[in-house]
Amino acid sequence: MLRALLSGLGWRGGIWGCTFSSQQPHLPPARLLNATELVSHWTVVFEKRGIPEARESSEYIVAHVLGAKTFQSLRPGLWTQPLTPGQLQYVQELSSYRLQRMPVQYILGEWDFQGLSLKMAPPVFIPRPETEELVEWVLEEVTQGPHVVGAQGGPLILEVGCGSGAISLSLLSKLPQSRVIAVDKGEAAICLAHENAQRLRLQDRIRIIPFDVTLEGSWAHLLPWGPVDLVVSNPPYVFHRDMEKLAPEILSYEDPLALDGGEEGMDIITHILALAPRLLKDSGYGWGVS
Ligand SMILES: C[S@@+](CC[C@H](N)C(=O)[O-])C[C@H]1O[C@@H](n2cnc3c(N)ncnc32)[C@H](O)[C@@H]1O
């Protein structure tokens, strides 16, 4: 059974109908030297230039330059401490990328997902908050459904379209007895998923395989450990006609192949639905966001 769960694509702050600006970045006035003042300064600059999530963006950038994940997690002493000229320069540089509508996740080069710190790099799809819900649903099903237990004591999982590896790696981190086969068509996605698996020391329980689900042909190599208990996917599902309405953050930086689901949004989903029964055990099932 494959349960398709409806959910929006969801870029926090809105994904539709934004415009580019060609103006040059503003240099902060010389008097703005501490973290709090810098955040305020760049918030105003971003707001004036129509950059979504202006305050969050400036907070993330300043916190990153000061070695923290969030502004709130900075030692309070750092909020009012003057930044060095090098740090100011770095904030300026990163903020200029945001002015070009680069997503914060790519600017920082990493992002937390389900408590894991994942490397992020364009054009590989940035995992969305909804994807964390998908992981929660799968975990709930696995822990509540005794039928979803593989030979190892945890389910053998196949993820179609793994991107950065967010879903596969977070499932592996929460299910220590499980193994995952993660496939993706994109070369950059395959490389980044490998890198993230190594980074999180989960590489021994995952096979990351380049695979285009739309191509007819052999899929036997997707079963190095035999049929799987569970298929999970966050496939491309944006209607082709809506692609041009996506925000510049998405359109200019993320791989269109990660988003474009064809005329009815079902192009990739249809192939996953056709493939899944061949790869699943009789008792297996699938989860997806669409
Ligand atoms: C919406 S992204 C999801 C990425 C990741 N699972 C996540 O949630 O962050 C969809 C992924 O499917 C991959 N993909 C698109 N078409 C594919 C195909 N025909 N075969 C395999 N993977 C495909 C894309 O490269 C992309 O990484």
Side-chain angles (χ1 to χ4, degrees):
M1 171 181 52
L2 191 137
R3 283 187 232 174
L5 295 159
L6 287 172
S7 156
L9 177 64
W11 182 269
R12 278 172 292 181
I15 57 171
W16 307 102
C18 302
T19 52
F20 282 107
S21 168
S22 58
Q23 292 170 37
Q24 290 303 304
H26 297 221
L27 278 168
R31 66 177 183 77
L32 292 178
L33 289 175
N34 73 45
T36 306
E37 289 168 330
L38 265 185
V39 166
S40 301
H41 170 78
W42 281 106
T43 299
V44 171
V45 174
F46 289 153
E47 278 170 356
K48 281 191 181 151
R49 299 275 290 271
I51 305 298
E53 302 182 329
R55 175 158 291 277
E56 291 86 342
S57 298
S58 50
E59 283 186 353
Y60 275 123
I61 288 170
V62 172
H64 179 76
V65 168
L66 293 176
K69 290 213 167 165
T70 63
F71 194 72
Q72 289 66 30
S73 69
L74 276 175
R75 266 191 302 113
L78 287 178
W79 293 345
T80 49
Q81 188 173 307
L83 272 73
T84 66
Q87 287 170 328
L88 286 170
Q89 177 63 34
Y90 193 23
V91 170
Q92 163 81 23
E93 195 184 312
L94 298 187
S95 299
S96 72
Y97 291 127
R98 188 71 194 103
L99 286 168
Q100 293 165 57
R101 304 300 292 261
M102 183 181 274
V104 164
Q105 291 88 339
Y106 290 153
I107 296 173
L108 307 182
E110 61 183 12
W111 197 245
D112 281 5
F113 181 88
Q114 285 281 315
L116 303 180
S117 176
L118 295 170
K119 182 176 173 184
M120 294 286 122
V124 181
F125 186 84
I126 297 165
R128 307 299 204 261
E130 290 85 341
T131 317
E132 302 214 33
E133 285 174 36
L134 173 63
V135 171
E136 295 292 344
W137 292 328
V138 173
L139 290 172
E140 215 176 287
E141 192 68 26
V142 168
T143 48
Q144 287 175 7
H147 52 285
V148 197
V149 181
Q152 302 291 311
L156 177 56
I157 299 166
L158 169 76
E159 184 189 1
V160 181
C162 64
S164 63
I167 296 174
S168 290
L169 295 171
S170 53
L171 288 173
L172 279 181
S173 76
K174 304 265 167 51
L175 300 169
Q177 311 295 326
S178 277
R179 288 180 298 187
V180 170
I181 298 132
V183 306
D184 203 290
K185 173 184 176 177
E187 199 182 324
I190 291 290
C191 289
L192 191 60
H194 269 296
E195 222 177 313
N196 278 322
Q198 296 276 350
R199 188 181 157 117
L200 297 166
R201 298 172 195 268
L202 291 167
Q203 72 275 13
D204 294 342
R205 289 191 290 127
I206 187 167
R207 294 278 170 89
I208 300 164
I209 304 173
F211 182 74
D212 182 341
V213 78
T214 65
L215 295 181
E216 297 296 321
S218 169
W219 38 264
H221 66 296
L222 301 185
L223 302 177
W225 295 310
V228 301
D229 296 293
L230 204 152
V231 175
V232 63
S233 185
N234 175 20
Y237 57 80
V238 177
F239 287 12
H240 182 72
R241 62 181 170 278
D242 290 335
M243 286 292 293
E244 63 183 25
K245 299 180 201 156
L246 295 173
E249 277 81 356
I250 300 172
L251 268 184
S252 305
Y253 294 96
E254 292 191 294
D255 184 355
L257 292 175
L259 298 146
D260 193 342
E263 203 176 329
E264 299 297 327
M266 290 295 291
D267 281 10
I268 307 300
I269 295 170
T270 312
H271 285 279
I272 297 173
L273 288 171
L275 181 68
R278 299 174 188 170
L279 306 179
L280 280 164
K281 288 177 188 164
D282 290 343
S283 56
Y285 69 105
W287 279 92
V289 175
S290 67

